[in-house]
Amino acid sequence: MDDADLLAAAREALAGLALPDGTPLLEAGTVSGPVVSGGRISLAISITAEDAASFADIRSRAETALRAMSGGDGAIVVLTAEKQSAAKQSAAAPPDLGTGKAPVTKPPVLSGVRHVVAVASGKGGVGKSTTSVNLALGLRSLGLKVGILDADIHGPSLPTLLALHGRPRLGKDRRLRPMQAFGLQAMSMGLMVDQETAMVWRGPMVMSAITQMLSDVDWGTLDVLIIDMPPGTGDAQLAIAQGTDLAGAVIVSTPQDLALIDARRGIAMFRKVDVPILGVIENMAHFICPDCGGRHALFGEGGAQAEARRLGAPYLGAVPLTMELRRASDSGQPIVALDPDGPLGQLYAGMARTLWSALEAAPHTDQKTLKGV
């Protein structure tokens, strides 16, 4: 059926549902949608943070109804929690008078994951997603159980980088099951919508979608979950930094000053919410000519390494820009999987070993126990 017919069918499927206070779902002023785009259906329910638990059932029932009428998993219903008022925030979490920071209360999500690592850049276009995937595969090569979450709602890259097709399936407990690629468990909003569908969502919807990909996906037991962060330092980044027990962050930057300015902002954001910086990676450090083999510093040289030294952050290494790396990424055959013994495969594996050593040496490691292990 076309989008108009699908919208009519969606409204009919939702007609008998009501909010906890008895208001018909489709008549509530706090409900946005349903919206149909490219055969996909989305609905948002605006609530307060305190009402999240009481609205969980109606969210689940609405999503089930939409998926049943659409004949598959082509529907998503999100709860968009409003921010607390300043008075409520003050009462719930008084600031630490010594530091000026408010303590962060983190929900018990990802309980089966030993270490959650954010890979961030502060800006787009520096190769963060390619780095995330190859770091994840480097960790996998150490015999670890690894997952990767593509948290870039507006520009998801994971389906292309891992050649993932189809839709994630629901498990017995109605939680989504991650897809599998090269031994990794993977989840991305790009797997939930058509490739050319633009996610025209406001900040609260983006934050809610990210939260659901963390808590409503059956990640199971993992040694490491890599989160490929969206670019920038806004609400979406804070939702992840404050909503999960992050073991730390890896910052990816190209060498030039323009990228380093944003990398500094990313580092400052993580430090502000007490997330340690596990390392800095200089990506596209130089270009290796496929014809002459010459090395060309297209974006300058050594900028990220110098910045890491200035900020007192570990430096994990420099990754060159090569035709092999570009072809491998575009083809959905990451270089660590395609050529693990080659120079780039060994480079990423070395960085992964350094990262794993830092994770295992972290003070909080002994305080975190795996369920079922």
Side-chain angles (χ1 to χ4, degrees):
M1 63 180 74
D2 60 23
D3 284 358
D5 291 337
L6 193 58
L7 179 60
R11 297 188 67 85
E12 182 177 350
L14 298 171
L17 300 181
L19 299 182
D21 65 358
T23 304
L25 179 68
L26 295 180
E27 297 178 13
T30 55
V31 173
S32 175
V35 175
V36 176
S37 177
R40 307 287 295 175
I41 311 167
S42 60
L43 179 83
I45 307 172
S46 179
I47 61 172
T48 63
E50 294 84 352
D51 291 335
S54 62
F55 275 74
D57 180 63
I58 185 60
R59 187 203 73 78
S60 178
R61 290 169 58 201
E63 193 166 83
T64 298
L66 291 176
R67 285 178 173 171
M69 57 76 49
S70 63
D73 297 330
I76 183 171
V77 177
V78 296
L79 300 178
T80 60
E82 298 172 355
K83 294 180 179 178
Q84 291 179 309
S85 67
K88 286 183 179 180
Q89 286 181 339
S90 177
D96 180 344
L97 297 179
T99 64
K101 297 178 183 176
V104 176
T105 301
K106 299 181 179 180
V109 299
L110 304 174
S111 58
V113 181
R114 287 183 66 188
H115 306 289
V116 183
V117 177
V119 178
S121 63
K123 69 173 289 154
V126 299
K128 170 183 52 62
S129 296
T130 298
T131 302
S132 298
V133 166
N134 284 294
L135 267 183
L137 288 168
L139 291 165
R140 180 71 182 85
S141 72
L142 301 178
L144 303 173
K145 295 179 180 179
V146 184
I148 182 166
L149 169 62
D150 181 358
D152 190 349
I153 302 297
H154 296 297
S157 302
L158 204 62
T160 298
L161 290 167
L162 293 177
L164 290 171
H165 306 285
R167 307 291 189 204
R169 299 300 178 187
L170 288 174
K172 294 180 181 179
D173 58 355
R174 304 298 295 171
R175 299 174 75 200
L176 285 173
R177 299 173 59 187
M179 299 191 77
Q180 305 289 321
F182 304 102
L184 301 176
Q185 296 196 55
M187 179 57 66
S188 169
M189 185 56 71
L191 298 170
M192 307 293 291
V193 300
D194 293 331
Q195 188 175 19
E196 297 182 5
T197 297
M199 302 300 292
V200 188
W201 284 2
R202 295 185 183 276
M205 288 188 70
V206 172
M207 293 168 65
S208 182
I210 290 173
T211 300
Q212 286 183 228
M213 285 197 292
L214 289 167
S215 60
D216 292 351
V217 172
D218 184 9
W219 289 103
T221 300
L222 296 174
D223 293 302
V224 184
L225 175 66
I226 295 289
I227 301 183
D228 180 13
M229 298 282 281
T233 54
D235 285 347
Q237 291 76 13
L238 283 174
I240 295 171
Q242 296 185 334
T244 62
D245 185 15
L246 280 180
V250 173
I251 304 297
V252 181
S253 179
T254 46
Q256 78 270 36
D257 290 344
L258 190 61
L260 290 170
I261 290 171
D262 292 305
R264 291 180 196 122
R265 294 191 180 105
I267 291 173
M269 180 200 74
F270 284 115
R271 286 180 168 170
K272 199 174 188 67
V273 292
D274 298 322
V275 173
I277 304 301
L278 298 171
V280 175
I281 295 175
E282 184 167 273
N283 200 35
M284 307 183 201
H286 52 269
F287 171 67
I288 299 178
C289 177
D291 298 323
C292 68
R295 170 175 162 160
H296 307 279
L298 300 178
F299 303 111
E301 196 166 15
Q305 182 177 15
E307 189 65 20
R309 189 183 305 115
R310 187 184 75 85
L311 294 171
Y315 179 66
L316 296 182
V319 180
L321 177 60
T322 71
M323 296 296 289
E324 291 79 13
L325 180 58
R326 194 276 303 165
R327 279 194 292 263
S329 299
D330 285 350
S331 68
Q333 299 284 320
I335 197 71
V336 173
L338 184 66
D339 187 17
D341 297 322
L344 286 172
Q346 288 297 300
L347 176 60
Y348 281 115
M351 291 191 291
R353 281 192 295 271
T354 302
L355 175 60
W356 178 245
S357 296
L359 289 170
E360 287 292 86
H364 70 274
T365 297
D366 295 335
Q367 303 168 14
K368 185 94 177 269
T369 57
L370 272 173
K371 291 186 177 180
V373 176

